[in-house]
Amino acid sequence: QVQLVESGGGLVQPGGSLRLSCAASGRIFSFYAMGWYRQAPGKQRELVAAITSGITRGTSTNYADSVKGRFTISRDNAKNTVYLQMNSLKPEDTAVYYCNYNTVYWGQGTQVTVSS
C-alpha cells in the first residue's frame, strides 16, 4: 500500500503563489512517476503536471497547457516527496489538487482557492 499526504493549499489572491507538497509513504519505489491533478466543481479531474523519477535517465516533466510557464513540478526521491510550485495564480486555478503516484494511488486532496 501507498499513502499520499498533500499539504500547502489555501486561499490566495490572483497573481499570488502557493507551493504544494505531497509526501509518499509505504511501498514506494522511486522509479515510478508522480503527478498532480486537479478537479474544479462540476468538472472532470485533469492532469496538471507529472514528473518521471529521473533515476534511469534524466527527469522529464509534462504540464497542462493552461499552467505552462506558471507551475513547476519537482521531486525529492530521498524524501519521497513531490512539489508543485504555483505562480501567477488565476481564479480558474481554483480546484482541489490531488497527488498521484504511479497513476494508481491518490492523496486526499488539498483545496486551492484563488480569489480577491
Side-chain angles (χ1 to χ4, degrees), residues 3 8 13 17-18 27 33 36-37 51 54-55 59-60 67 70 76 81 84 92 95 104:
Q3 295 79 42
Q13 292 186 342
S17 298
L18 283 174
R27 292 179 57 83
W36 288 96
Y37 290 71
I51 185 168
I55 291 178
T59 299
S60 64
V67 307
R70 300 189 298 122
D76 184 336
T81 300
L84 186 67
E92 51 264 44
V104 174

Side-chain angles (χ1 to χ4, degrees), residues 53-77:
S53 68
I55 291 178
T56 56
R57 62 183 69 180
T59 299
S60 64
T61 58
N62 182 39
Y63 296 93
D65 288 342
S66 59
V67 307
K68 282 180 181 177
R70 300 189 298 122
F71 291 11
T72 302
I73 188 171
S74 61
R75 67 189 289 170
D76 184 336
N77 288 333

Side-chain angles (χ1 to χ4, degrees), residues 10-27:
L11 173 64
V12 63
Q13 292 186 342
S17 298
L18 283 174
R19 189 193 194 205
L20 305 183
S21 299
C22 172
S25 61
R27 292 179 57 83

Side-chain angles (χ1 to χ4, degrees), residues 1-103:
Q1 273 288 11
V2 173
Q3 295 79 42
L4 303 172
V5 179
E6 301 106 332
S7 61
L11 173 64
V12 63
Q13 292 186 342
S17 298
L18 283 174
R19 189 193 194 205
L20 305 183
S21 299
C22 172
S25 61
R27 292 179 57 83
I28 297 297
F29 297 97
S30 297
F31 50 75
Y32 285 125
M34 297 188 73
W36 288 96
Y37 290 71
R38 67 185 180 187
Q39 188 167 18
K43 294 188 176 181
Q44 289 187 331
R45 191 172 296 188
E46 63 175 358
L47 174 68
V48 176
I51 185 168
T52 60
S53 68
I55 291 178
T56 56
R57 62 183 69 180
T59 299
S60 64
T61 58
N62 182 39
Y63 296 93
D65 288 342
S66 59
V67 307
K68 282 180 181 177
R70 300 189 298 122
F71 291 11
T72 302
I73 188 171
S74 61
R75 67 189 289 170
D76 184 336
N77 288 333
K79 297 181 179 180
N80 290 328
T81 300
V82 63
Y83 306 96
L84 186 67
Q85 178 66 45
M86 304 185 295
N87 299 328
S88 302
L89 282 161
K90 304 175 181 180
E92 51 264 44
D93 295 318
T94 295
V96 178
Y97 284 70
Y98 297 91
C99 177
N100 178 273
Y101 170 76
N102 192 24
T103 73

